[in-house]
Amino acid sequence: MSRKCAVMAGSVVVALVAAGITFQNANVSDDVLQFTVRTLTPNAAGKLATALGDGLPPSPAAGPAFTDAASGRGLLLVEAYADRWGCTVRDPFTETVWAEVTCSP
């Protein structure tokens, strides 16, 4: 994996995890954060997939980033670096936010 690809993929993973932590901190009354992160090594076509699952729908959406804001740019990074990304809601209590980054093999 090239350095450029590693930076792009790493940025996507960090942005998804940070968004999950931020959202759970704002919406959970106890001190327990619960989510899973899964990242697969690039396949033969150079596609790296990552997913973050938690139990707190609604689905995330990238919004405007304000220049003086301390946060709010994570999903914009995901949009910029990922070839595709989205959210799969499995039931009223489980969602998985996923992204795919393709790197030249």
Side-chain angles (χ1 to χ4, degrees):
M1 178 184 299
S2 71
R3 180 176 171 85
K4 179 180 176 181
C5 181
V7 169
M8 289 171 43
S11 296
V12 167
V13 172
V14 168
L16 292 179
V17 170
I21 290 170
T22 301
F23 185 75
Q24 283 200 5
N25 276 339
N27 293 290
V28 176
S29 59
D30 60 20
D31 292 332
V32 179
L33 298 178
Q34 297 180 350
F35 58 87
T36 59
V37 178
R38 181 177 165 185
T39 300
L40 304 175
T41 57
N43 63 15
K47 185 174 291 183
L48 181 138
T50 190
L52 179 130
D54 65 32
L56 295 170
S59 302
F66 300 100
T67 55
D68 58 347
S71 63
R73 295 171 187 81
L75 293 178
L76 294 174
L77 282 173
V78 174
E79 274 190 348
Y81 290 147
D83 298 304
R84 312 184 312 131
W85 77 280
C87 183
T88 304
V89 178
R90 304 204 186 289
D91 58 49
F93 307 103
T94 310
E95 72 174 1
T96 300
V97 181
W98 53 268
E100 294 177 352
V101 177
T102 302
C103 303
S104 301

